Amino acid sequence: MLYYIKKSIILALLISICIGVSAQDSSIVIKTGHIDSSSLFKLVYVPFEIPAGITKIQVKEFYNESGNPDKNVLNMGIYDPRGYTPGNPEGFRGWSGGAKKEFFIQADQASTGYIPGKIQAGLWNILIYPSTIIPAGMDWKLEIKLISGKENSIFRVSPTPEFINNKPGWYRGDLHTHTLNSDGKRTQQELIDEAKEKHLDYIVSTEHNTNSANLSWGRYNTENLLIINGEEVTSTEYGHWNAIGLNADTYIDWRFTPEQNRIGQMISKVHHDGGLSVINHPFFNVKYINSFYYDADLFDCIEVWNGTWNGLNNLALEWWDKQLRMGKKKIAIGASDTHKKTGSPNNLGIPQTVVYASGLSKKAIINGIRQGKVYVTSLDGIDLDLSVATKDKNAGLGDTLLLSEGQNFNVLLKLKNCPNAIITLHSDSGLIKSYTVKTSNESMNWKLSGSAYRYLRVEVRTSKGDLLAFTNPVWLRNK
Ligand SMILES: [Zn+2]
Ligand SMILES: [Zn+2]
């Protein structure tokens, strides 16, 4: 804690002025300071006192954005008197990153990204965090309006239902979505409507550094669409990861460096809720070979495919395969990372993660992913089933087939609605088979033998090499 407090004092000269505005019901607190260019990515906490009787706060942020070609971006969030220290964010009341320059909080409602509820008297802290900064640095100002009056009824958490059915089958969904609760452009209702239009079975809500959407999904008519709570734990400096399968009121703190060794604890919190951790778009920043700086071994899954297929995704696919060859059983998933309906390479459902699950529920979908019963595709209509079999045993995606030394086995692949695609079969020793699909409904049966392979997996590509689908492995092991 001291580290951050000292930093905030060093980084910013804070000036606090309290001005009485209208006669009886509001006052404005002004805080100002300067952050120099050497302080990129530093956390600056701006404390201010709220007296008793305040029922609403409004915060406006001002800073010199301009710069050519770079510009300043100052992220923003807020903590109430229950606590703001990293790892103990009981007072967390919302985050808008660089997506908003003003917000409000009151008992019954708040700006998207923020948590409604009582405005407690005491010491609050606004966190500001520069994620890009020009050489001249930035001058910032916070205008905090404190308003008293009659308190509205307190907001009630309305979590999403976690169960829809217990019918075993393949379920299609999008594991990475944003709305106005972070930097997305859709409302929660618009995201639900589009997911239904696209016949998705589930979506995971993953706003940057806030659980505000998770607190209210239960207010919407989702019918047969399963919403799973999540959070995109977002450090611009060290990488993004998704916590999926959270309880509505769980908040995962993003404010850790890799050296602090706290990510394992954060992932334990996700596991405690029955969820999984996913390394997101690990090659997102082209300036780095791998812009994910946390210990990859701690995570359950890798988002190998983010949005429209491109070369960065190919790097992620190769990186994942390298992990498998090293014996690390990471689950590969894909997701759109959608922020808006049109004009983006990140369209909802492209790609989608198709999971074999014992039903459509949070528990079953997360279990299916955890077990690797997963393939990823950009095509709504594709059906894909990979299995390996001996005379008396069969193993599907995520399963392990036990073989005797040198025993023969068959690799069975069924593929629907993907004509002209090129299928490749891969193992830990590289490419084994290649085949061009001719009809819209094909079954392949390859005979292999021996104990040379530890896993087998399939990729489906266009003739140009763009990925259309890929599976997680079926595992092989000697008896
Ligand atoms: Zn991200
Ligand atoms: Zn995202």
Side-chain angles (χ1 to χ4, degrees):
M1 181 178 83
L2 271 178
Y3 168 82
Y4 293 106
I5 292 171
K6 276 183 191 164
K7 276 287 179 193
S8 70
I9 292 166
I10 294 162
L11 296 173
L13 174 64
L14 306 179
I15 303 164
S16 177
I17 309 164
C18 191
I19 308 165
V21 179
S22 72
Q24 59 283 67
D25 64 356
S26 72
S27 61
I28 291 180
V29 177
I30 306 279
K31 300 276 184 177
T32 63
H34 177 82
I35 300 175
D36 67 39
S37 60
S38 65
S39 299
L40 178 67
F41 298 137
K42 298 304 181 204
L43 306 173
V44 180
Y45 295 92
V46 182
F48 66 99
E49 192 73 31
I50 293 191
I54 299 300
T55 53
K56 179 176 184 178
I57 58 170
Q58 285 177 324
V59 176
K60 289 186 182 174
E61 176 197 58
F62 305 87
Y63 59 92
N64 56 315
E65 240 185 272
S66 61
N68 195 6
D70 299 320
K71 65 174 198 168
N72 288 323
V73 174
L74 191 59
N75 296 265
M76 174 170 61
I78 192 166
Y79 299 85
D80 73 22
R82 290 172 298 168
Y84 70 95
T85 52
N88 296 298
E90 282 82 1
F92 174 73
R93 294 299 290 268
W95 176 257
S96 50
K100 281 188 177 66
K101 294 239 176 77
E102 59 180 277
F103 67 85
F104 76 92
I105 301 174
Q106 61 188 42
D108 60 336
Q109 54 180 299
S111 301
T112 46
Y114 290 82
I115 317 292
K118 193 167 179 56
I119 305 297
Q120 296 96 327
L123 194 65
W124 289 56
N125 275 273
I126 293 173
L127 169 58
I128 50 177
Y129 168 76
S131 58
T132 70
I133 195 160
I134 62 172
M138 70 171 87
D139 294 315
W140 57 265
K141 180 171 96 167
L142 294 171
E143 192 179 289
I144 306 155
K145 190 170 188 183
L146 307 177
I147 302 158
S148 58
K150 188 175 167 294
E151 189 172 72
N152 297 323
S153 56
I154 299 283
F155 169 83
R156 282 177 189 275
V157 175
S158 179
T160 181
E162 293 188 351
F163 176 88
I164 291 184
N165 69 51
N166 55 11
K167 293 181 209 151
W170 290 98
Y171 290 100
R172 321 176 80 89
D174 196 322
L175 287 160
H176 189 162
T177 66
H178 297 275
T179 71
L180 289 168
N181 282 271
S182 57
D183 56 351
K185 303 292 182 222
R186 294 186 193 86
T187 62
Q188 287 168 265
Q189 184 65 57
E190 285 166 341
L191 184 66
I192 289 168
D193 292 345
E194 198 181 329
K196 285 181 184 173
E197 274 167 35
K198 294 192 167 174
H199 305 294
L200 296 179
D201 299 306
Y202 71 90
I203 56 172
V204 183
S205 171
T206 54
E207 307 292 0
H208 295 286
N209 298 339
T210 182
N211 63 332
S212 64
N214 298 340
L215 299 173
S216 65
W217 283 114
R219 293 179 181 201
Y220 299 90
N221 178 9
T222 46
E223 293 175 86
N224 292 324
L225 175 70
L226 177 72
I227 311 273
I228 297 174
N229 294 320
E231 179 187 329
E232 185 165 15
V233 186
T234 309
S235 161
T236 312
E237 190 173 12
Y238 303 116
H240 298 189
W241 60 278
N242 269 348
I244 61 172
L246 299 176
N247 296 334
D249 57 359
T250 297
Y251 175 64
I252 305 295
D253 207 328
W254 61 275
R255 297 169 293 171
F256 296 112
T257 67
E259 294 74 32
Q260 285 170 313
N261 289 325
R262 298 289 299 275
I263 296 300
Q265 281 176 1
M266 297 301 107
I267 292 174
S268 296
K269 210 170 159 184
V270 180
H271 291 164
H272 184 262
D273 280 7
L276 294 169
S277 57
V278 185
I279 298 171
N280 288 349
H281 46 68
F283 293 85
F284 185 75
N285 189 337
V286 290
K287 277 194 282 189
Y288 302 100
I289 296 169
N290 178 348
S291 67
F292 192 82
Y293 294 100
Y294 296 111
D295 180 359
D297 286 354
L298 297 171
F299 291 81
D300 304 301
C301 311
I302 301 172
E303 188 187 65
V304 159
W305 187 349
N306 176 289
T308 301
W309 181 256
N310 60 27
L312 299 180
N313 288 314
N314 222 9
L315 290 175
L317 184 71
E318 286 168 12
W319 183 56
W320 168 61
D321 195 58
K322 197 171 150 195
Q323 307 286 310
L324 298 180
R325 289 199 303 275
M326 290 192 292
K328 297 176 182 179
K329 286 192 174 184
K330 301 291 176 197
I331 309 303
I333 60 96
S336 71
D337 199 359
T338 185
H339 285 69
K340 54 187 181 177
K341 187 165 185 176
T342 54
S344 162
N346 302 80
N347 294 310
L348 182 67
I350 300 176
Q352 49 198 253
T353 293
V354 189
V355 186
Y356 188 80
S358 60
L360 185 56
S361 64
K362 167 188 155 179
K363 193 173 174 189
I365 294 291
I366 297 285
N367 267 341
I369 297 172
R370 187 183 289 115
Q371 291 165 10
K373 298 183 180 303
V374 168
Y375 68 89
V376 179
T377 182
S378 56
L379 302 173
D380 296 336
I382 195 175
D383 273 336
L384 202 166
D385 199 358
L386 175 68
S387 58
V388 293
T390 55
K391 272 184 195 150
D392 54 351
K393 288 201 182 72
N394 187 295
L397 294 184
D399 296 337
T400 302
L401 185 71
L402 291 178
L403 293 167
S404 308
E405 187 74 28
Q407 187 179 1
N408 292 337
F409 61 94
N410 287 2
V411 180
L412 308 160
L413 178 68
K414 291 179 187 165
L415 185 67
K416 278 188 192 164
N417 302 322
C418 206
N420 306 318
I422 295 165
I423 309 285
T424 48
L425 179 69
H426 303 255
S427 77
D428 46 311
S429 50
L431 178 68
I432 302 178
K433 301 274 183 193
S434 181
Y435 175 79
T436 303
V437 177
K438 292 169 186 80
T439 67
S440 60
N441 190 353
E442 293 213 25
S443 293
M444 279 139 270
N445 187 340
W446 292 299
K447 287 195 190 328
L448 297 176
S449 66
S451 48
Y453 312 114
R454 279 189 298 164
Y455 64 84
L456 295 168
R457 62 177 190 84
V458 157
E459 293 178 11
V460 183
R461 291 182 186 255
T462 65
S463 55
K464 286 183 186 163
D466 290 341
L467 202 64
L468 295 169
F470 74 92
T471 70
N472 272 267
V474 183
W475 299 91
L476 305 167
R477 208 172 70 217
N478 283 336
K479 280 180 189 169

